[in-house]
Amino acid sequence: IIRLPSSSTMSKKTLLEKVFMGIRAFESPTGASLASIKKYLKAEHQFEHNAKLLTTLKKAVSEGKLEQEKSSYKIPGEAYAPPPDMTVEIRDEQEGSGKTAESGDTVTMKYEGRLEDGTVFDSADKFRFTIDGGEVIKGWDQGVTGMKKGGRRTLVIPPKLGYGKKGSPPEIPPEATLIFDVTLSSIK
């Protein structure tokens, strides 16, 4: 006869351990939102005590067991790569020199944009925008960040970071991967 321990004597996971399981289940580079954690706990552990969850999260953040950014939580030291459809492929052709372009900088670019079949849909000798200012497609924000003056790159931008399901008719069809050859002229 084999005796299994009763459920009352088996070790039970703490709420924080369950939260860790939920964050890991999402594998998101930005962590898991409070709403996502609540949904996970309800579905996987039938847990719906919001006050207890908030107390546990607050304590874990103050003890350094979790990191909080706005309403998202991450486990310190754990990082997840973004999925391929949310990543810009960057091919550096020339590094450039001086200051590195970062979020909030206003940059002036020379570029040519084309579709995968080689069709050129746009180009400019002087195009100015602010990185992460919501002025361009997200693929440009990702792809230009880290460049230096005089630097040249080829950016291969997946549809989710470009114009997505709708495209930008008539030049850019729905779900188009975009290829840009870009040169950084100035950073302010």
Side-chain angles (χ1 to χ4, degrees):
I1 297 176
I2 299 174
R3 291 201 168 196
L4 298 174
S6 70
S7 61
S8 62
T9 60
M10 290 178 73
S11 68
K12 294 184 179 181
K13 295 198 182 315
T14 66
L15 178 55
L16 184 57
E17 289 171 326
K18 293 174 184 176
V19 167
F20 285 168
M21 290 170 61
I23 293 171
R24 289 180 178 127
F26 288 102
E27 294 184 351
S28 170
T30 58
S33 69
L34 178 58
S36 298
I37 293 169
K38 286 179 180 180
K39 192 174 185 178
Y40 171 84
L41 290 172
K42 183 177 181 182
E44 298 296 324
H45 301 284
Q46 295 72 50
F47 181 87
E48 296 188 66
H49 304 286
N50 289 338
K52 186 174 182 182
L53 174 60
L54 293 174
T55 301
T56 299
L57 292 172
K58 186 175 181 179
K59 181 178 179 190
V61 169
S62 71
E63 293 175 350
K65 294 177 182 176
L66 284 177
E67 295 173 348
Q68 181 180 8
E69 186 174 317
K70 297 182 183 174
S71 65
S72 288
Y73 296 86
K74 294 183 190 179
I75 302 168
E78 292 189 17
Y80 303 98
D85 64 348
M86 294 298 290
T87 304
V88 174
E89 179 185 333
I90 297 172
R91 299 181 202 141
D92 280 312
E93 309 295 333
Q94 183 175 322
E95 185 178 345
S97 61
K99 178 181 172 3
T100 300
E102 55 190 40
S103 183
D105 286 341
T106 298
V107 293
T108 303
M109 309 293 299
K110 176 180 179 179
Y111 74 90
E112 178 181 270
R114 62 187 184 282
L115 303 174
E116 287 180 295
D117 69 3
T119 303
V120 174
F121 60 82
D122 196 13
S123 66
D125 286 331
K126 281 189 172 184
F127 176 71
R128 182 176 290 142
F129 74 98
T130 301
I131 298 175
D132 293 327
E135 300 168 20
V136 294
I137 58 174
K138 291 178 193 270
W140 266 65
D141 288 328
Q142 277 188 27
V144 173
T145 298
M147 289 185 76
K148 295 178 181 180
K149 183 178 177 180
R152 286 193 332 256
R153 284 183 173 171
T154 297
L155 310 176
V156 181
I157 301 176
K160 285 187 178 179
L161 297 176
Y163 293 97
K165 292 178 182 178
K166 293 183 179 180
S168 183
E171 294 87 6
I172 302 171
E175 296 294 337
T177 295
L178 308 175
I179 301 166
F180 288 93
D181 293 318
V182 299
T183 301
L184 178 57
S185 304
S186 69
I187 304 172
K188 290 185 182 187

